[in-house]
Amino acid sequence: MDQPGTVTALLGALGTLDWADAPRAHRDTQALLARVEDPRSLVRTSFEWTTRHLERSVEKTTHYKWFVAADEDARFEVWLHDYKPRAQRRVGHAAVPHNHRFWF
């Protein structure tokens, strides 16, 4: 897998993974994301936000959850969690970056 430089490249790389073997796909995804030097660059480079992206995105007490994409076959979704500066965070859950119930 090449280092993804854009959201389109990342989605293309994710689309080539064998999602029927979920543990391997998760390991491959983790390795792929570890090679992204600046996650913000993924969104800054040639990504077109649409109404669909914005309608699914939400603001939480501590961060914004930006919907990026969903695989056509419903194998995966990509979300960007953008944590607010400490002074802008409201009291609530998710005060720090955290794991979810489901791996991905």
Side-chain angles (χ1 to χ4, degrees), residues 28-41:
D28 290 348
T29 299
Q30 200 167 21
L32 178 69
L33 292 173
R35 289 196 295 272
V36 176
E37 291 179 19
D38 178 9
R40 290 184 184 108
S41 70

Side-chain angles (χ1 to χ4, degrees), residues 60 62-63 65 81 83 93-102:
K60 299 293 186 177
T62 57
H63 63 288
K65 290 176 64 173
H81 289 219
Y83 281 83
H93 69 283
V96 296
H98 59 280
N99 289 333
H100 286 246
R101 256 178 49 173
F102 302 102

Side-chain angles (χ1 to χ4, degrees), residues 1-103:
M1 288 179 278
D2 292 329
Q3 178 177 332
T6 66
V7 170
T8 303
L10 175 62
L11 296 174
L14 292 173
T16 65
L17 300 180
D18 178 11
W19 290 94
D21 182 354
R24 182 181 176 127
H26 293 164
R27 285 191 305 272
D28 290 348
T29 299
Q30 200 167 21
L32 178 69
L33 292 173
R35 289 196 295 272
V36 176
E37 291 179 19
D38 178 9
R40 290 184 184 108
S41 70
L42 290 173
V43 178
R44 282 196 301 259
T45 56
S46 69
F47 182 70
E48 184 177 333
W49 292 95
T50 66
T51 302
R52 177 175 176 244
H53 293 106
L54 298 177
E55 287 175 345
R56 288 199 58 190
S57 300
V58 295
E59 180 180 6
K60 299 293 186 177
T61 57
T62 57
H63 63 288
Y64 298 95
K65 290 176 64 173
W66 300 103
F67 172 70
V68 177
D71 179 61
E72 291 178 7
D73 298 324
R75 299 175 300 166
F76 61 85
E77 289 185 347
V78 176
W79 291 79
L80 174 69
H81 289 219
D82 180 16
Y83 281 83
K84 299 175 183 178
R86 189 171 305 280
Q88 293 178 3
R89 296 179 191 166
R90 296 187 312 268
V91 176
H93 69 283
V96 296
H98 59 280
N99 289 333
H100 286 246
R101 256 178 49 173
F102 302 102
W103 192 93

